[in-house]
Amino acid sequence: MPPKSDWDTAVKPHVKPSGGKQAGFQSIQGVQKRGAKSYVDMRERQVLRQVSTRLFFGAQRRAKEKGKDKPVEVQMMYAKGNVFIGTNLDVTAESVSKILASRKMTRSTLVDDKFFKSAKSHGGRITARHGKKLGSRMFDDDKQKKWNKGPVVDLASRKRATNILNLVRDIEPEFLDPSDKKSVQTAFSGPGSVYILHSGGKQNGRHVEEKFMDILGHANHTDKTYVGGKMRPCLTCSGRMTHTESQGHDVDFSQNPGKIWKQRYDNQPADVRAETAKLAKNKRTFISKGGSGYGSESDSDGE
């Protein structure tokens, strides 16, 4: 049980409510809208974002068809040559597992336009764009090879991104309980696997990046790790990842966090809360063109 929270003194003076009961808090410094950006030399996070966004909407559709709880987030991590996929609910994790169990369903979810309603919303537009990119980079060998011959400054990043895509395409995922230290250490014994976080309901509602950082700690993995997904990390998760970096881990994640949630802050240990409170004091709240539910877009159709 974490010590009593210091929200009222450490965070509350720097934030304000952003809307309804579940809308979180935003910086009193204001909200900054992030436009499209270049993903040059950040291809790992780019493809994690693309795959996560398509998986999110695929899981959302399955939830509607099956009468299950809707997904809230799908985020991904790439560490030691393995792909980790996290969700806020185990029922969403189970939907993602069904999607990735066959190449046909994987391709349909990640690529096919007909799999999604042709909405004029940001979600409809961005999923269609992601589908075109993933179609060429995951399921067209010639186009994938061409993409891997990009600028030298971007070459290593593109190769790692391609490995992420190929693993998602080719490897049947396994469930991994992020609280099971022994299982996590076994997962880090070698590269080439895809893991979907599933805790038997024990961690439902917990933000994904917190689970990812638990995994890095259990595995004592300090080499370069990439974290990205459908949405930018909330400020609380940014605080946790910043703290993990201070413990000697090398974590690549967005430095432009979203809102902060009091309950998530209250549940953090005191040393992690200290990092989160620093961000609350010094960072604005960032949102993307499509709103708080999305990460920053790419500045080029060619990406």
Side-chain angles (χ1 to χ4, degrees):
M1 179 71 66
K4 184 178 179 181
S5 170
D6 54 356
W7 171 272
D8 288 342
T9 57
V11 177
K12 191 174 180 179
H14 310 293
V15 300
K16 61 182 180 181
S18 61
K21 186 177 179 181
Q22 299 297 324
F25 293 79
Q26 66 188 42
S27 171
I28 60 173
Q29 298 181 47
V31 175
Q32 181 174 334
K33 184 173 287 189
R34 297 283 294 176
K37 70 175 186 179
S38 171
Y39 278 89
V40 170
D41 205 29
M42 293 189 293
R43 301 299 178 179
E44 303 90 352
R45 279 201 280 132
Q46 182 183 40
V47 299
L48 294 177
R49 167 179 157 261
Q50 292 169 340
V51 173
S52 294
T53 303
R54 296 283 305 202
L55 286 176
F56 174 89
F57 284 104
Q60 185 179 76
R61 176 166 175 163
R62 287 184 64 88
K64 184 177 181 179
E65 292 172 347
K66 305 293 183 181
K68 305 288 187 180
D69 289 337
K70 294 180 180 179
V72 175
E73 61 175 337
V74 176
Q75 308 290 100
M76 295 175 67
M77 179 172 75
Y78 182 61
K80 199 172 182 179
N82 296 306
V83 171
F84 299 83
I85 304 172
T87 66
N88 64 308
L89 297 172
D90 282 344
V91 67
T92 305
E94 291 159 11
S95 289
V96 171
S97 177
K98 294 284 187 183
I99 288 169
L100 298 180
S102 75
R103 184 160 177 156
K104 181 179 179 180
M105 180 60 76
T106 299
R107 191 187 190 288
S108 175
T109 303
L110 298 185
V111 176
D112 291 353
D113 284 340
K114 65 181 180 180
F115 193 79
F116 298 92
K117 290 182 179 179
S118 182
K120 294 182 180 179
S121 66
H122 181 82
R125 182 178 62 80
I126 206 67
T127 51
R129 181 175 174 183
H130 289 345
K132 291 178 181 178
K133 302 299 178 184
L134 295 174
S136 65
R137 294 169 189 174
M138 290 183 78
F139 299 97
D140 188 315
D141 290 343
D142 290 337
K143 289 182 179 179
Q144 186 184 86
K145 289 176 182 177
K146 182 178 179 180
W147 190 64
N148 271 307
K149 294 178 181 178
V152 173
V153 67
D154 208 25
L155 198 58
S157 181
R158 288 180 184 234
K159 287 185 176 180
R160 284 188 291 269
T162 298
N163 192 48
I164 293 170
L165 297 177
N166 288 348
L167 286 172
V168 172
R169 181 193 66 196
D170 297 336
I171 304 300
E172 186 171 350
E174 307 171 45
F175 284 131
L176 176 68
D177 184 346
S179 66
D180 187 334
K181 187 174 182 179
K182 185 176 180 180
S183 294
V184 169
Q185 290 174 341
T186 299
F188 275 80
S189 62
S193 295
V194 177
Y195 298 99
I196 299 174
L197 306 194
H198 191 291
S199 59
K202 293 180 292 184
Q203 298 197 30
N204 275 345
R206 244 187 122 209
H207 288 194
V208 174
E209 292 91 343
E210 292 265 17
K211 301 176 189 178
F212 286 158
M213 295 305 102
D214 289 350
I215 287 173
L216 296 184
H218 291 331
N220 194 28
H221 179 76
T222 56
D223 293 341
K224 191 77 168 184
T225 296
Y226 303 89
V227 177
K230 175 181 176 288
M231 62 180 71
R232 66 183 66 252
C234 74
L235 191 137
T236 326
C237 289
S238 292
R240 174 64 192 278
M241 290 188 282
T242 300
H243 178 265
T244 299
E245 285 191 309
S246 74
Q247 302 299 301
H249 300 267
D250 188 357
V251 186
D252 184 298
F253 64 97
S254 172
Q255 298 299 305
N256 300 305
K259 300 175 185 178
I260 182 171
W261 272 259
K262 182 179 184 299
Q263 184 179 8
R264 301 270 60 86
Y265 177 85
D266 289 344
N267 287 336
Q268 291 183 322
D271 54 348
V272 178
R273 291 204 310 271
E275 294 288 355
T276 303
K278 288 180 186 177
L279 295 179
K281 182 178 180 180
N282 298 310
K283 287 272 191 181
R284 291 185 177 184
T285 300
F286 296 88
I287 63 171
S288 304
K289 183 178 179 181
S292 58
Y294 297 90
S296 296
E297 293 186 45
S298 170
D299 63 359
S300 170
D301 283 338
E303 293 186 293

